[in-house]
Amino acid sequence: MNVEFINPFLSSLLNVLSTMAHTELKPGKPKIKKDEVACGDVSGLIGMVGPQTKGSFSITFDESLALTIMERMLGERPDSINEEVTDMVGEITNMVTGGAKNLLGEKGYDFDMATPIVVSGKGHTITHKSEGAKILMPFTSDAGNANIEVSFDKL
Amino acid sequence: MNVEFINPFLSSLLNVLSTMAHTELKPGKPKIKKDEVACGDVSGLIGMVGPQTKGSFSITFDESLALTIMERMLGERPDSINEEVTDMVGEITNMVTGGAKNLLGEKGYDFDMATPIVVSGKGHTITHKSEGAKILMPFTSDAGNANIEVSFDKL
């Protein structure tokens, strides 16, 4: 898997968060993940299946960033990661992956998306178990950190 | 989504764990999940995409059960949820979903599997964000509890 495959997810995420929540994320350096583990408080995960490949995408937020995104979208800040927050994280996961799907489709890489799953729990870690490389991309913002991770078999 | 769709996952899981790890799980009552949340320490998740539907599957283990399964498979008990344990949970996720895919395929419900993702973290919770019902099935064993959850859109 080429680092290039992270870019459609990166640009889709920046676009979704600035449009929906007026939140600017600052991308860090993408890494081919070996021992490194993204750690966060609420994550959205989704599977991808296509004729050439299959894989998975995840986005992990610090609690502070997830709550701030809710506040900027709805005008009210939840006290904790409740069902509204996990719905929002599931929706962001769908939108980011959908945006990346369009961009990758233009390059001839087609896939279909499964339905998203949201994980909630202080300081959980996520490991993508595909045969391909895992690419991790960290983000910082005024309200906390996020990470995205993408893995495709056979790319 | 019909409760019947949980059965192929249930029988596949019982078969995988008794064959691989000589561990008998005792199924509880399946529930259409509303507010109920499965909570555990290590989980395997996978997306499914087919012509008629898409969805997601998850299996969540108590730490004690995950470590016991490792011990029964390898003869040695890890101190904590390490990379070997998450590999094993990813593998179980693949095998259970693969078994259910075969059984559902015989009934005319085809899907392809994405690659598995493993989540590790004390007491995390998982929410499947599909439009269909979520069916949760609890299991007990001599070494701790597990839960599986299946959700398909449009079934």
Side-chain angles (χ1 to χ4, degrees):
Chain A
M1 186 179 152
N2 194 302
V3 176
E4 286 294 305
F5 282 94
I6 197 91
N7 287 334
F9 292 90
L10 160 67
S11 57
S12 180
L13 171 63
L14 298 183
N15 180 38
V16 165
L17 282 197
S18 71
T19 311
M20 278 177 61
H22 311 290
T23 297
E24 304 301 326
L25 292 186
K26 189 163 169 274
K29 206 174 136 47
K31 296 166 202 174
I32 304 280
K33 188 173 166 181
K34 291 205 178 75
D35 297 331
E36 221 144 349
V37 166
C39 182
D41 306 319
V42 59
S43 299
L45 306 93
I46 198 162
M48 301 176 285
V49 177
Q52 301 118 328
T53 186
K54 54 188 180 164
S56 51
F57 167 76
S58 64
I59 179 159
T60 298
F61 296 96
D62 285 351
E63 179 171 322
S64 59
L65 178 54
L67 299 181
T68 301
I69 292 169
M70 284 298 280
E71 188 177 3
R72 290 177 184 167
M73 282 171 61
L74 304 180
E76 203 163 319
R77 189 181 183 89
D79 293 332
S80 62
I81 294 170
N82 59 19
E83 196 184 336
E84 280 182 329
V85 178
T86 64
D87 278 352
M88 181 271 297
V89 170
E91 199 49 52
I92 289 177
T93 307
N94 252 334
M95 291 173 74
V96 171
T97 312
K101 173 179 158 65
N102 290 342
L103 293 168
L104 283 166
E106 288 168 11
K107 294 184 182 180
Y109 296 100
D110 285 312
F111 60 83
D112 285 317
M113 294 154 53
T115 47
I117 306 172
V118 177
V119 175
S120 170
K122 267 281 169 209
H124 65 260
T125 57
I126 287 173
T127 325
H128 293 250
K129 302 286 182 188
S130 81
E131 286 159 35
K134 291 103 196 160
I135 299 176
L136 175 75
M137 180 132 201
F139 295 87
T140 52
S141 80
D142 59 342
N145 298 327
N147 284 281
I148 61 176
E149 204 172 324
V150 183
S151 183
F152 283 111
D153 268 5
K154 302 181 212 148
L155 273 185
Chain B
M1 186 178 150
N2 194 300
V3 175
E4 288 294 304
F5 282 94
I6 197 93
N7 287 334
F9 292 91
L10 159 67
S11 58
S12 179
L13 171 63
L14 298 184
N15 180 37
V16 166
L17 282 197
S18 72
T19 311
M20 278 178 59
H22 310 291
T23 297
E24 305 302 326
L25 293 185
K26 189 163 169 275
K29 208 174 135 46
K31 296 165 203 173
I32 303 280
K33 188 172 166 181
K34 292 209 177 72
D35 297 331
E36 221 143 350
V37 166
C39 180
D41 306 318
V42 59
S43 300
L45 306 93
I46 197 161
M48 300 176 286
V49 177
Q52 300 117 329
T53 185
K54 55 188 180 163
S56 51
F57 167 76
S58 64
I59 178 160
T60 299
F61 296 96
D62 284 351
E63 178 171 321
S64 60
L65 178 54
L67 298 182
T68 301
I69 291 169
M70 284 297 281
E71 188 177 3
R72 290 176 184 167
M73 283 171 60
L74 304 179
E76 204 164 318
R77 188 181 182 88
D79 295 331
S80 62
I81 294 171
N82 58 20
E83 198 186 334
E84 281 181 327
V85 179
T86 63
D87 278 352
M88 181 270 298
V89 171
E91 199 49 51
I92 289 176
T93 307
N94 252 332
M95 291 172 74
V96 172
T97 313
K101 171 181 159 65
N102 290 340
L103 293 168
L104 284 166
E106 287 167 12
K107 295 184 181 177
Y109 296 100
D110 285 312
F111 60 83
D112 285 317
M113 293 153 55
T115 48
I117 307 172
V118 177
V119 175
S120 171
K122 267 281 169 208
H124 64 261
T125 57
I126 287 174
T127 324
H128 292 250
K129 300 288 182 188
S130 81
E131 284 158 36
K134 292 102 195 163
I135 299 176
L136 174 76
M137 179 131 202
F139 296 87
T140 52
S141 80
D142 59 341
N145 299 328
N147 284 281
I148 62 177
E149 204 171 325
V150 183
S151 184
F152 284 110
D153 268 3
K154 303 180 211 151
L155 274 185

